[in-house]
């Protein structure tokens, strides 16, 4: 934080945080990569890594941590959750397995007669008391 604070000294609230090498303009991807990203990636054994792959990594980590698709959408700046799902649908495959497992569990409860409280409108659990929110 101290290093970042020093970097911000003398800058206005609307000034760019990281700028291009010449003239302080917008930092373009090509300049950023040439200025150090490619060397840094190679130094840690990730030669060939491109900055956009970090975006996919962030999305993957968010999804695997259980983030809501709307939260991932906002994090990535997508216009809609549908775009996020279309782009990262393969990341949600485990969610489908979890849904299937929960449906199997519910079906098993029905088979043994313990799921009457899961029916819509039934306010009582299997012990006759409130079942709580569904």
């Amino acid at each position: 934080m101290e290093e970042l604070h020093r970097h911000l000294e003398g800058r206005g609230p609307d000034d760019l945080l990281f700028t291009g090498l010449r003239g302080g303009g917008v930092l373009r991807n090509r300049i950023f990569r040439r200025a150090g990203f490619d060397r840094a990636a190679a130094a840690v054994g990730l030669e060939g890594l491109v900055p956009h792959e970090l975006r996919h990594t962030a999305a993957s980590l968010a999804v695997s941590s259980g983030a809501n698709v709307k939260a991932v959408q906002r994090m990535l700046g997508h216009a809609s959750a549908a775009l996020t799902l279309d782009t990262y649908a393969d990341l949600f495959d485990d969610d489908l397995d979890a849904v299937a497992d929960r449906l199997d569990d519910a079906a098993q409860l029905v088979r043994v007669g313990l799921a009457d409280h899961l029916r819509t409108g039934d306010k009582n659990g299997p012990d006759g008391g409130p079942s709580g929110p569904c």
Side-chain angles (χ1 to χ4, degrees):
M1 288 298 293
E2 289 179 29
E3 190 173 336
L4 186 57
H5 183 70
R6 283 193 302 273
H7 184 74
L8 290 172
E9 285 180 9
R11 293 179 190 247
D14 294 326
D15 290 346
L16 297 172
L17 176 60
F18 300 105
T19 60
L21 299 177
R22 296 184 196 103
V26 173
L27 178 60
R28 302 285 179 207
N29 184 42
R30 185 182 70 234
I31 294 168
F32 171 68
R33 290 190 61 190
R34 236 186 283 140
F37 181 88
D38 289 342
R39 283 190 308 266
V44 295
L46 297 173
E47 191 165 348
L49 178 72
V50 297
H52 194 78
E53 290 173 320
L54 299 177
R55 176 181 176 86
H56 293 291
T57 299
S60 299
L61 292 172
V63 169
S64 69
S65 72
N68 180 291
V69 69
K70 290 297 284 183
V72 177
Q73 170 207 339
R74 288 191 301 272
M75 179 182 88
L76 297 173
H78 287 164
S80 70
L83 175 61
T84 303
L85 287 169
D86 288 344
T87 305
Y88 297 100
D90 58 312
L91 298 178
F92 292 90
D93 286 343
D94 289 342
D95 290 345
L96 294 176
D97 291 339
V99 169
D101 290 342
R102 279 186 241 123
L103 287 172
D104 284 343
D105 292 345
Q108 179 62 26
L109 289 174
V110 169
R111 281 192 287 279
V112 297
L114 296 176
D116 287 340
H117 69 284
L118 295 177
R119 293 184 183 150
T120 303
D122 188 350
K123 305 284 190 248
N124 294 320
D127 62 356
S131 64
C134 286

